[in-house]
Amino acid sequence: MKILLTSLNTKYIHSNIAIQYLKSTIENKYEVKTIDFTINQNLDDIIYEIIKGNYNIVGFSTYIWNIEQTLKISKKIKKINNKIKIVLGGPEVSYDSRNILKENKFIDFIMCGEGETTFPILMDYINGEKIDLPSGTLENKEFEILGNEIFQTINDLKVSEFEYTEKYLKDKKIVYYETSRGCPYNCEFCLSSSTKKVRYFNLDRCKSDIGKFIDLKVPLVKFIDRTFNFNKEHALEIIKFIINNDKGYTTFHLEIHPTLIDNDYLELFKISRKDLFQFEIGVQSTNMETCKAIKRVGEFEDIKRVCEKLLAFDNIHLHLDLIAGLPYENYKSLKKSFNDILSIRPDKLQLGFLKVLKGSDLWLKNREYKIVYDDYPPYEVISTKWISYEGLQKVKEIEELVDKYYNEKNFYNTFEYIVKNYYKDDFSFFEEFSKFWEERGYYLINHSRDSLYKILLEFVIEKEYENIDIITELLIHDYIMVNRKIPYFLEPNLIDKNSKHEILKNDDILNILPEKYKEVSTKKLVKNIHILKYENDIIRHYNKNQKKYLIMLYDIYNSKNYDVTQKYEEII
Ligand code: SF4
C-alpha cells in the first residue's frame, strides 16, 4: 500500500510538521512519502504530481488557509481515479467533520484531533485488516457515515517523536518544532483552548534535536508550543541549553506569555546573543471588558513592563499581536489598544482580524455577540455588535500602512519625528495618513519601496508641516540605512568629490572604519562610502536656524553610519 501525506503551506519556505509525525507512525510497515506543496502553486500541477505517484491513499493536513484548495484537489483526484482513498485531518476538519463529509462525498475519511494513534490503525483498516474504525475517525459510506468524531488527544508524546534527519533539515530555512502540546489557557477565539492539558516532550529528546538544528545551522527554528514558558522548569532548561550551545547562527522563535517572565528568565535573556531569540506575544486587546469576555489572562501594565525590559536588552526581536473585531472592542477602544501596544515600540505590531474558527468558543457565541463573519475560510469577521463593517475596513487600511511604514523599519526615524511633533498618538497619524492614501486611490495600486518614500513626502508637503526640510533629510537618512544606496529622487546633498577624497585620506576617519579599509586605495573606498551634508542636525535634532549642520558618512557595504561633522570642519 502506497501512501502520500501532504499539505499546502502558505509559503515555499514553510513545511508541515503534522505529516512528519504521521509518517513516523507507519513508515516501518507501509511505503509512505511526504510532500509539502504551497497554496500558490497551480492546482493542476499538484494534482498531476499526486496522480503520477500511484498512491493508494492520499492524506491532507488541513487549516483555514488551505482547506478550499485541498477540497478542490481532492475532488479532482477522485474524478481521475476513484480508487484513491482521501483522508483529511487537521484543525480545519476536526470540529465540523460530519457536515464536511456530508457536503463532500469525495472525501473517504476524516480524523479528528491529534492523529498519531489514530492514523496507523486507520491505515490497517483501509488495508483490509479485520479491525474497527479507530475512535475519532469518520468514514463516508454511500448512504451513511460510520464512526465517531471524538477529538483525540495524545497523552504520552513519546508516540509523536520523529527523527529530524540531516536529509530533512538540509536547506531548510525554517524548521517547526514543539517541546510541548496543548495550552492551559482558554482564549475564546482560539482552537488550542480545546486541548487544555499541556503535555511535554522528553527534555533529552528536545535537547538532542535542538543541538542538531544548531549544528546544521538552521537559520530559524519556530517553536509551535502554544505558551512556551508556561512550565518554568521545562522552559528554563531549554533556554539555558540554547544559550550554552549557541554557535551564533540559529534564531529561535517562541510564543511566550510575558507575565510569566520573572528575573530568572530576564537574567538569561540579558546575556543571550543578539537575535538568538525572537518572541511573539499575543496581547490581542488592552480593553479590560474585551479581555474578560475572551478570557485573556494578564494585565496590560504587567505585559508592558516585561516587554520594555526585554526591549531594553536590545538583543531580542519582539513581535506583539492585536486582534480587531473582538467582543466589546469598538473603534475607539481599538484605537486605544493600538496606541497602548505600539507605545511599547515592539519590533513588529501584527494587527490581525478575528477569525471565527469552527470549534472555538466564539464560534458558539457568535449570535450572542452579533459577530457577522465570512462563510468561507478564513472566516474573518465582517462586523460585530461593537464595530461596523466600515470601521473594520478603515482599520484594515491602517493595518496595511502599519506593515509598510512601521513593521518594515524602513522609515524608523522619519516616523518617530512626525508622530512626536505633529500627532497626539500613533493611531491618529495612521488614521490621517490612511485618509490621504484613500483619497488618492493609493490602496488600489502596488507600490515599489521607493514610491512609499515619495508618498510620505507628498503627504508631509500637503500637510504643510513646519520643518519639512528636517523630515526630508530624515527620509534620506532612513532610505540610505535600509537601501544601502542614495535616494537621488529626494535630492540629497552629497559633498563634493574633492572634499570626499580629502576626508577619506585622513587617518582619524580611517580609524573609525573597518580595519580592512586601510588596505584599500582611496579610489576604491570612495565607492563604498557616501558622505552627505545635512542642513539640519537630524541626529541631535537641531534645525538649520540654530546653525547646526551634520556631516554623515555612510559605509554602505556594512550598513553603518558615522557623524563626522567635527572632523570635516578640521579637514576642509
Ligand atoms: S491564544 Fe494562545 S494562550 Fe490563548 S488559548 Fe490560544 S494558544 Fe493558549
Side-chain angles (χ1 to χ4, degrees):
M1 202 165 68
K2 211 174 161 195
I3 301 158
L4 173 69
L5 287 165
T6 183
S7 189
L8 279 75
N9 307 316
T10 48
K11 283 186 187 160
Y12 170 70
I13 50 168
H14 295 168
S15 50
N16 183 296
I17 185 176
I19 58 176
Q20 300 303 328
Y21 282 132
L22 295 189
K23 180 184 174 208
S24 73
T25 64
I26 56 162
E27 60 192 347
N28 290 336
K29 189 165 178 182
Y30 297 109
E31 186 184 346
V32 53
K33 187 175 173 183
T34 57
I35 304 181
D36 279 290
F37 293 110
T38 82
I39 51 171
N40 304 315
Q41 278 177 269
N42 181 302
L43 295 192
D44 283 319
D45 290 347
I46 296 176
I47 291 164
Y48 186 43
E49 190 64 32
I50 294 174
I51 293 293
K52 272 193 309 188
N54 289 320
Y55 303 104
N56 305 96
I57 300 168
V58 180
F60 290 92
S61 178
T62 65
Y63 302 85
I64 46 172
W65 62 81
N66 67 18
I67 186 68
E68 289 193 324
Q69 292 93 328
T70 302
L71 291 176
K72 279 184 190 163
I73 291 170
S74 302
K75 193 171 183 178
K76 195 154 177 185
I77 287 176
K78 210 66 182 176
K79 274 193 176 175
I80 298 166
N81 180 353
N82 70 2
K83 287 202 177 73
I84 298 175
K85 297 288 180 202
I86 304 286
V87 181
L88 303 192
E92 190 49 31
V93 293
S94 286
Y95 300 94
D96 195 22
S97 38
R98 205 165 278 272
N99 282 332
I100 295 171
L101 275 190
K102 272 187 206 156
E103 286 162 16
N104 301 284
K105 286 288 175 199
F106 48 88
I107 302 167
D108 295 290
F109 298 92
I110 286 185
M111 299 194 312
C112 306
E114 295 169 7
E116 288 96 329
T117 48
T118 320
F119 187 63
I121 305 172
L122 178 61
M123 293 303 102
D124 292 344
Y125 176 86
I126 299 174
N127 198 28
E129 290 186 25
K130 297 276 169 258
I131 51 171
D132 291 336
L133 196 61
S135 184
T137 309
L138 292 178
E139 178 179 10
N140 228 348
K141 288 288 199 189
E142 203 173 347
F143 301 108
E144 60 180 337
I145 291 174
L146 302 181
N148 68 58
E149 56 266 69
I150 299 170
F151 191 95
Q152 299 296 295
T153 309
I154 311 292
N155 286 323
D156 183 358
L157 292 183
K158 191 133 192 66
V159 68
S160 308
E161 291 178 2
F162 77 87
E163 200 195 341
Y164 282 82
T165 58
E166 225 176 301
K167 188 173 160 223
Y168 175 76
L169 294 172
K170 196 170 168 268
D171 301 330
K172 281 241 174 346
K173 300 267 180 287
I174 306 176
V175 165
Y176 292 88
Y177 191 68
E178 60 182 347
T179 75
S180 66
R181 216 181 260 184
C183 183
Y185 299 110
N186 202 13
C187 306
E188 295 221 323
F189 56 86
C190 176
L191 283 183
S192 296
S193 63
S194 58
T195 47
K196 284 174 201 68
K197 197 170 164 221
V198 186
R199 294 138 292 149
Y200 295 89
F201 280 91
N202 177 289
L203 260 178
D204 290 333
R205 180 248 180 188
C206 295
K207 288 179 188 170
S208 151
D209 288 340
I210 293 167
K212 218 183 266 178
F213 304 151
I214 292 172
D215 288 344
L216 292 171
K217 293 191 169 176
V218 173
L220 179 62
V221 177
K222 276 196 164 189
F223 283 43
I224 55 174
D225 302 49
R226 305 312 297 147
T227 304
F228 176 77
N229 60 330
F230 178 67
N231 178 328
K232 185 174 168 183
E233 204 183 321
H234 175 88
L236 281 182
E237 186 81 18
I238 291 175
I239 287 164
K240 278 182 204 158
F241 181 83
I242 291 173
I243 292 175
N244 293 338
N245 291 278
D246 173 41
K247 292 196 173 144
Y249 195 84
T250 306
T251 294
F252 291 86
H253 177 103
L254 314 172
E255 277 190 41
I256 59 159
H257 202 302
T259 57
L260 300 176
I261 298 284
D262 61 15
N263 280 339
D264 294 333
Y265 285 101
L266 290 173
E267 276 167 28
L268 286 173
F269 294 142
K270 195 173 174 182
I271 55 155
S272 71
R273 180 206 12 118
K274 191 169 173 64
D275 297 331
L276 179 57
F277 295 108
Q278 57 187 42
F279 296 153
E280 184 169 343
I281 296 171
V283 187
Q284 321 305 15
S285 171
T286 66
N287 178 358
M288 287 309 290
E289 232 182 327
T290 300
C291 293
K292 200 172 153 209
I294 60 165
K295 302 200 182 91
R296 187 83 196 156
V297 180
E299 300 275 325
F300 177 65
E301 284 315 311
D302 296 333
I303 295 174
K304 183 171 176 165
R305 199 172 44 248
V306 172
C307 288
E308 285 176 346
K309 279 184 186 163
L310 290 170
L311 283 170
F313 297 153
D314 196 25
N315 56 3
I316 291 167
H317 181 100
L318 215 58
H319 168 156
L320 302 186
D321 296 335
L322 163 67
I323 299 180
L326 289 171
Y328 299 95
E329 191 85 290
N330 58 27
Y331 188 81
K332 197 171 158 209
S333 71
L334 184 63
K335 178 172 177 169
K336 183 177 178 307
S337 291
F338 180 101
N339 282 327
D340 285 341
I341 299 176
L342 207 56
S343 73
I344 297 172
R345 286 292 182 264
D347 295 289
K348 187 172 180 186
L349 168 66
Q350 185 162 313
L351 173 49
F353 293 80
L354 177 67
K355 317 260 184 304
V356 183
L357 303 176
K358 286 177 195 164
S360 67
D361 289 342
L362 271 190
W363 179 57
L364 300 170
K365 289 185 182 170
N366 74 79
R367 280 169 202 266
E368 182 189 330
Y369 290 147
K370 293 204 179 101
I371 301 177
V372 181
Y373 63 95
D374 201 333
D375 290 338
Y376 299 98
Y379 315 112
E380 199 171 281
V381 62
I382 293 172
S383 65
T384 71
K385 210 163 156 178
W386 298 273
I387 191 161
S388 65
Y389 167 73
E390 288 75 17
L392 281 169
Q393 287 310 111
K394 250 171 106 174
V395 179
K396 202 158 244 188
E397 290 181 340
I398 287 173
E399 180 242 354
E400 194 177 326
L401 295 187
V402 170
D403 256 356
K404 288 182 162 67
Y405 286 93
Y406 180 85
N407 289 339
E408 292 288 330
K409 297 276 170 284
N410 296 340
F411 300 85
Y412 181 79
N413 296 289
T414 320
F415 168 78
E416 293 296 345
Y417 184 86
I418 293 175
V419 171
K420 190 170 154 221
N421 287 286
Y422 309 108
Y423 291 91
K424 62 177 190 302
D425 53 54
D426 299 317
F427 194 89
S428 303
F429 160 71
F430 280 114
E431 217 172 16
E432 199 162 290
F433 194 28
S434 178
K435 213 168 137 217
F436 175 84
W437 269 62
E438 208 178 326
E439 283 163 1
R440 277 164 181 69
Y442 286 157
Y443 282 117
L444 304 173
I445 36 180
N446 287 330
H447 299 280
S448 66
R449 200 190 274 174
D450 282 5
S451 87
L452 295 181
Y453 286 86
K454 289 181 203 163
I455 292 172
L456 184 55
L457 188 60
E458 200 185 318
F459 170 72
V460 165
I461 291 168
E462 188 186 277
K463 289 278 141 200
E464 295 181 349
Y465 293 139
E466 283 175 8
N467 301 330
I468 287 180
D469 52 341
I470 295 182
I471 299 173
T472 311
E473 293 192 332
L474 284 167
L475 264 180
I476 294 168
H477 177 65
D478 281 337
Y479 184 98
I480 301 174
M481 294 304 292
V482 174
N483 299 281
R484 297 177 174 208
K485 59 182 182 186
I486 298 291
Y488 288 104
F489 58 90
L490 294 172
E491 298 172 14
N493 189 2
L494 292 159
I495 68 160
D496 67 84
K497 229 174 181 178
N498 290 342
S499 306
K500 187 174 176 183
H501 274 261
E502 280 308 306
I503 292 171
L504 291 179
K505 274 196 270 175
N506 185 280
D507 283 344
D508 290 341
I509 296 288
L510 284 173
N511 282 339
I512 58 170
L513 293 172
E515 196 61 29
K516 60 178 181 207
Y517 282 14
K518 286 183 185 153
E519 268 108 66
V520 178
S521 69
T522 311
K523 210 172 155 191
K524 274 193 181 161
L525 199 53
V526 163
K527 284 188 188 155
N528 265 351
I529 304 285
H530 290 299
I531 306 178
L532 268 73
K533 182 173 184 182
Y534 292 112
E535 293 303 325
N536 305 281
D537 186 342
I538 53 171
I539 301 294
R540 281 167 288 264
H541 301 290
Y542 290 114
N543 66 37
K544 66 180 173 206
N545 299 330
Q546 290 162 287
K547 302 220 177 326
K548 290 278 181 188
Y549 60 88
L550 174 77
I551 307 292
M552 188 71 89
L553 182 150
Y554 294 93
D555 174 4
I556 296 293
Y557 188 74
N558 294 300
S559 288
K560 288 249 161 64
N561 61 306
Y562 307 91
D563 172 4
V564 295
T565 314
Q566 205 188 331
K567 270 286 137 215
Y568 173 84
E569 283 168 356
E570 285 166 23
I571 300 165
I572 304 298

